């Protein structure tokens, strides 16, 4: 397995080069929704257990992201739609939310992006399951609406109202399987960060893509546990193996 570390410069299969940690600039609208615990658990790899949004429900995170800059303009800006299952390593008591706090991470279950270089970036460095899709963000002063179409079929349309923001820095972790090894990646958010708990200002309309069928089986709640946003920097460190 190729071990990557902070300070490494990585050449992708597309010819693009990036340096770790990778600093990006982005606008994000996100939501944490309650989901069926048993289905969420079935989507996780060995070594992870779901975080509980309530005593009986897991937590699924939806992220609608518009990247404005990647590293030192290493590639063209792109959009993405992330579906994460909030999780912690096995053997640790899966905590109840709040999410977006230290020691709580998200397993990246699905990550459509709009360009092939963006797909290679996530797959080759962090093992993220990126696919190439059509993603459209429609923003106004109050809301972002994101539509994802892949293989000619709509995956989802997600609408999230912007919460009030303030300057802040937060560090979370993502989990993914790279070259057969479960890894954790530190991710730092810095900028205008907003959060609003227990909100009904999130709408999810699932389409007819097969991935939408899996999302439907999660029975996502109609009231979000947390609605959040970011206008600023997202910094991705090098992944590290999760100790069993």
């Amino acid at each position: 397995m190729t071990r990557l570390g902070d300070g490494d410069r990585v050449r992708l299969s597309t010819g693009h080069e990036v340096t770790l940690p990778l600093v990006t600039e982005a606008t994000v609208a996100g939501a944490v929704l309650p989901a069926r615990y048993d289905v969420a658990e079935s989507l996780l790899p060995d070594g992870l257990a779901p975080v509980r949004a309530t005593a009986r429900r897991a937590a699924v995170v939806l992220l609608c992201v518009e990247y404005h800059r990647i590293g030192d303009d290493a590639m063209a800006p792109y959009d993405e739609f992330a579906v994460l299952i909030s999780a912690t390593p096995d053997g640790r008591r899966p905590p109840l939310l709040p999410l977006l706090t230290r020691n709580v991470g998200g397993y990246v279950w699905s990550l459509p992006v709009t360009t092939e270089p963006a797909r290679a970036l996530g797959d080759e460095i962090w093992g993220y399951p990126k696919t190439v899709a059509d993603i459209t963000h429609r923003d106004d002063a109050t809301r972002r609406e994101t539509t994802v179409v892949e293989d000619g079929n709509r995956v989802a349309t997600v609408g999230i109202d912007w919460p009030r923001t303030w300057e802040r820095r937060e560090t979370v972790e993502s989990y993914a399987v790279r070259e057969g090894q479960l890894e954790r990646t530190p991710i730092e958010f810095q900028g205008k960060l907003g959060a609003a708990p227990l909100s009904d200002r999130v709408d999810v309309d699932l389409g007819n893509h097969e991935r939408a069928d899996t999302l439907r089986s999660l029975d996502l709640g109609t009231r979000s546990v947390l609605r959040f946003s970011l206008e600023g920097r997202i910094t991705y460190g090098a992944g590290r193996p999760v100790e069993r």
Side-chain angles (χ1 to χ4, degrees), residues 10-18 22 24 67 70-71 73-80 111-133:
V10 183
R11 184 178 180 86
L12 305 175
S13 61
T14 57
H16 298 80
E17 294 187 359
V18 298
L22 180 64
T24 69
Y67 286 101
I70 312 300
D73 291 320
M75 61 183 63
Y78 65 89
D79 299 326
E80 73 178 21
L111 195 57
V113 294
T114 51
T115 70
E116 175 58 25
R119 187 209 62 76
L121 174 69
D123 175 38
E124 295 171 18
I125 295 182
W126 295 285
Y128 293 151
K130 288 191 173 185
T131 54
V132 178

Side-chain angles (χ1 to χ4, degrees), residues 16-123:
H16 298 80
E17 294 187 359
V18 298
T19 301
L20 298 177
L22 180 64
V23 180
T24 69
E25 296 177 6
T27 305
V28 183
V32 183
L33 297 171
R36 282 185 54 175
Y37 189 93
D38 59 334
V39 177
E41 187 175 40
S42 73
L43 298 176
L44 292 175
D46 291 343
L48 293 178
V51 167
R52 296 181 185 272
T54 68
R56 297 183 179 180
R57 301 274 278 172
V60 169
V61 184
L62 306 181
L63 295 173
C64 305
V65 186
E66 179 182 7
Y67 286 101
H68 309 296
R69 186 175 183 182
I70 312 300
D72 52 355
D73 291 320
M75 61 183 63
Y78 65 89
D79 299 326
E80 73 178 21
F81 174 69
V83 180
L84 298 89
I85 300 168
S86 190
T88 58
D90 284 351
R92 303 180 188 179
R93 182 176 180 272
L96 296 171
L97 295 179
L99 196 71
L100 291 182
T101 57
R102 290 171 178 80
N103 302 319
V104 175
Y107 170 70
V108 184
W109 174 73
S110 173
L111 195 57
V113 294
T114 51
T115 70
E116 175 58 25
R119 187 209 62 76
L121 174 69
D123 175 38

Side-chain angles (χ1 to χ4, degrees), residues 93-187:
R93 182 176 180 272
L96 296 171
L97 295 179
L99 196 71
L100 291 182
T101 57
R102 290 171 178 80
N103 302 319
V104 175
Y107 170 70
V108 184
W109 174 73
S110 173
L111 195 57
V113 294
T114 51
T115 70
E116 175 58 25
R119 187 209 62 76
L121 174 69
D123 175 38
E124 295 171 18
I125 295 182
W126 295 285
Y128 293 151
K130 288 191 173 185
T131 54
V132 178
D134 293 322
I135 301 172
T136 304
H137 301 305
R138 297 180 180 87
D139 294 353
D140 61 28
T142 61
R143 187 174 179 85
R144 165 168 285 179
E145 183 178 275
T146 298
T147 297
V148 184
V149 176
E150 191 169 344
D151 305 320
N153 295 312
R154 189 171 62 88
V155 178
T157 300
V158 176
I160 302 172
D161 283 12
W162 303 111
R164 191 175 70 174
T165 63
W166 63 100
E167 289 291 330
R168 189 169 175 177
R169 177 183 296 180
E170 288 286 350
T171 301
V172 297
E173 290 183 329
S174 72
Y175 296 103
V177 176
R178 187 174 74 91
E179 298 181 15
Q181 169 70 56
L182 180 63
E183 291 190 344
R184 65 196 318 153
T185 296
I187 303 174

Side-chain angles (χ1 to χ4, degrees), residues 207-238:
N208 56 355
H209 191 278
E210 63 180 4
R211 199 173 296 118
D213 293 337
T214 303
L215 291 172
R216 200 170 280 112
S217 72
L218 283 162
D219 186 26
L220 299 175
T222 57
R223 184 174 174 81
S224 67
V225 177
L226 184 70
R227 175 170 50 94
F228 58 94
S229 69
L230 171 73
E231 178 72 36
R233 291 184 175 181
I234 308 177
T235 302
Y236 296 86

